[in-house]
Amino acid sequence: MLKEFEYTKCDFIDVSSQALLNCKKNISALSVEHRSSIFESDLFDNYPVSKLKNIKFIVCNPPYIPTEHYFLLDNETLYDPKISLDGGLKGIDFYIRIIEFLKKQQFTGDIYFEIDPLIFKDFDKFLLKKALKIVYKKQDYLNLDRLLKITFP
């Protein structure tokens, strides 16, 4: 995205030091170090929340596989660590934490989520309870809802 939006800065947040190491390699390979910041954090725990006031949008791919489906994944997917895939009982645990945190911080931007179609209904119900709605959906090559945009008031 930093190559596409050449006047943009980006903060990368991940709980995994290994994932951030890979991120640093990609940042270096793309020569975008001067526009990148890295934070090792469980969601926003170690992130300077004051920065949220200046953020226009967040792109997020949290773990979204329901726990009971995790062990049904193919070996290629199971190559990734469990922490990056297991989204809790219904697959929406991280979405809930993120949305609740952003609402508490009075975030006023947009968030783009990658999502598994299996969890869409439960997530949509949660958003309705929080007075938020999906303003954009993008389907994948199988015509399944895969990317959602939510705008915070």
Side-chain angles (χ1 to χ4, degrees), residues 63-73 78 82 85-94 116 118-119:
Y64 54 69
I65 306 296
T67 302
E68 66 182 23
H69 293 261
Y70 173 77
F71 296 104
L72 304 175
L73 296 172
L78 287 172
K82 185 177 183 192
L85 300 170
D86 187 348
L89 184 64
K90 292 184 177 183
I92 63 171
D93 289 5
F94 289 93
D116 186 310
L118 289 173
I119 68 170

Side-chain angles (χ1 to χ4, degrees), residues 91-130:
I92 63 171
D93 289 5
F94 289 93
Y95 296 88
I96 290 170
R97 287 178 57 197
I98 293 164
I99 294 291
E100 287 180 344
F101 178 83
L102 293 174
K103 281 195 68 95
K104 183 178 171 188
Q105 298 301 317
Q106 299 177 336
F107 178 68
T108 57
D110 300 325
I111 188 163
Y112 294 84
F113 279 120
E114 181 174 345
I115 193 162
D116 186 310
L118 289 173
I119 68 170
F120 179 81
K121 279 186 181 178
D122 287 325
F123 185 51
D124 196 35
K125 284 181 195 174
F126 167 76
L127 290 174
L128 288 173
K129 289 179 188 173
K130 295 295 177 181

Side-chain angles (χ1 to χ4, degrees), residues 2-83:
L2 284 172
K3 283 304 238 186
E4 187 72 25
F5 301 105
E6 57 189 57
Y7 299 105
T8 301
K9 293 181 179 178
C10 186
D11 292 342
F12 296 91
I13 305 170
D14 205 297
V15 71
S16 165
S17 56
Q18 182 61 49
L20 291 174
L21 237 146
N22 292 335
C23 182
K24 284 179 187 178
K25 289 177 186 174
N26 290 332
I27 288 169
S28 180
L30 295 170
S31 301
V32 292
E33 297 92 343
H34 61 289
R35 297 188 290 128
S36 303
S37 298
I38 292 179
F39 298 89
E40 187 169 343
S41 180
D42 182 5
L43 300 181
F44 297 101
D45 289 350
N46 296 324
Y47 182 78
V49 293
S50 60
K51 293 183 84 171
L52 285 174
K53 293 178 180 161
N54 298 318
I55 292 175
K56 293 185 174 141
F57 66 92
I58 297 170
V59 178
C60 186
N61 182 12
Y64 54 69
I65 306 296
T67 302
E68 66 182 23
H69 293 261
Y70 173 77
F71 296 104
L72 304 175
L73 296 172
D74 59 45
N75 286 338
E76 186 175 308
T77 305
L78 287 172
Y79 174 79
D80 290 329
K82 185 177 183 192
I83 192 172

